[in-house]
Amino acid sequence: MQLTIVGNRAAMPADGAASSGYLVETERARILLDCGPGIALALTRYIHAGELDAVVISHMHSDHCYDVLPIGKQIMQFHSRTRPADTDGSGDFHGEAAPKRTTLLVPAGARATLDRLAALFPVRSMPHLDRAFELAYEVVEYEPGDTYSVGDATVRLIPMVHSEPNCGVRIDSPSGSIAYTGDTGRTDDLLTLARDADIFLAEATLAQPDRTGHGHLSATEAGRAAAAAGAHSVVLTHFTTPDADWKQSRRTDAVAEFAGPVHVGEPGMRFTVVPAGK
């Protein structure tokens, strides 16, 4: 199992870094966790979007989901390279099986938002390009606690605490486990998410614990949760600044709480999971 940080800038992309997006690859699955602004472009450094088996959206804030439409259109482009073009512009496949759609897991109620997004940018001469959420994706609205199979991986959605409904994403496969917080404040469910995870991919947005109720973690809280859950390593992410000293200070905060490896995540970094005992 491998984790690639495609982008991890909190809020909008800046300083050459895209917003949130993380590629998880197992022997039989390629899963993108979140896809904020800039991820559609940054992902092309690693794979074509058409090779994704699933895209999982932790919550519907724009810095975590805005590029879901261009990624869908990239998937359609990928299929058009390997399939003959249809003759009526519908995008439907006549007389042959349609290509397998990429699973898109979104919070309950999000499908209506996706349809409104697609309708904002009509391509009147090629109307099938407006149907990314029908032709490129199999859209599945999940509920907290739901579990899905993707290739050899199990994807579990675990409720977190944020101003918009957010689920952490737990991915388990024969080659390891990764737990991703999305955006969240401190909650006991962090322990469920991170329990014995090989990599705990945790936001470290704040220097101090959140006093606003918006729902973000400090590195201290991320390290404390990792230690309590028995996680094997921590990758800190979702930073508001490129300042290296600030980020190293967040690492110091986490190390004070967690005795295992703690990494400051940066775009382009790749982490190979080595399951405990191997």
Side-chain angles (χ1 to χ4, degrees), residues 10-214:
M12 291 299 98
D15 307 296
S19 297
S20 295
Y22 308 90
L23 177 63
V24 177
E25 298 172 274
T26 71
E27 290 185 6
R28 293 174 42 217
R30 288 174 168 174
I31 301 169
L32 181 64
L33 304 178
D34 284 340
C35 53
I39 293 301
L41 175 60
L43 183 65
T44 63
R45 299 190 184 106
Y46 310 105
I47 64 169
H48 195 291
E51 299 174 276
L52 291 169
D53 297 292
V55 178
V56 185
I57 303 299
S58 63
H59 65 293
M60 293 297 288
H61 279 158
S62 62
D63 59 327
H64 291 258
C65 70
Y66 193 76
D67 270 13
V68 69
L69 179 58
I71 286 175
K73 293 193 175 188
Q74 288 174 339
I75 294 169
M76 294 172 73
Q77 178 191 50
F78 180 83
H79 293 325
S80 71
R81 292 176 180 174
T82 58
R83 299 276 182 148
D86 63 305
T87 58
D88 60 7
S90 68
D92 296 321
F93 290 85
H94 306 292
E96 62 175 306
K100 183 179 182 296
R101 292 178 294 168
T102 299
T103 300
L104 174 59
L105 298 177
V106 294
R111 177 60 191 264
T113 300
L114 299 178
D115 289 340
R116 289 196 298 272
L117 176 63
L120 289 174
F121 308 103
V123 184
R124 303 193 191 284
S125 60
M126 302 180 72
H128 71 281
L129 294 179
D130 303 333
R131 299 171 60 196
F133 298 114
E134 300 172 51
L135 302 177
Y137 294 117
E138 179 185 0
V139 181
V140 178
E141 294 186 330
Y142 65 77
E143 297 283 352
D146 283 353
T147 299
Y148 300 90
S149 294
V150 180
D152 60 348
T154 299
V155 178
R156 183 156 53 118
L157 288 308
I158 298 171
M160 298 285 111
V161 177
H162 193 50
S163 57
E164 181 75 9
N166 174 86
C167 278
V169 185
R170 172 74 182 233
I171 300 179
D172 291 279
S173 81
S175 55
S177 56
I178 293 173
Y180 167 53
T181 61
D183 287 357
T184 185
R186 184 172 56 83
T187 168
D188 289 344
D189 286 323
L190 278 169
L191 305 189
T192 302
L193 176 69
R195 182 74 62 196
D196 298 323
D198 292 301
I199 295 178
F200 182 39
L201 178 62
E203 71 148 308
T205 310
L206 305 177
Q208 301 295 328
D210 187 8
R211 305 298 183 194
T212 68
H214 185 74

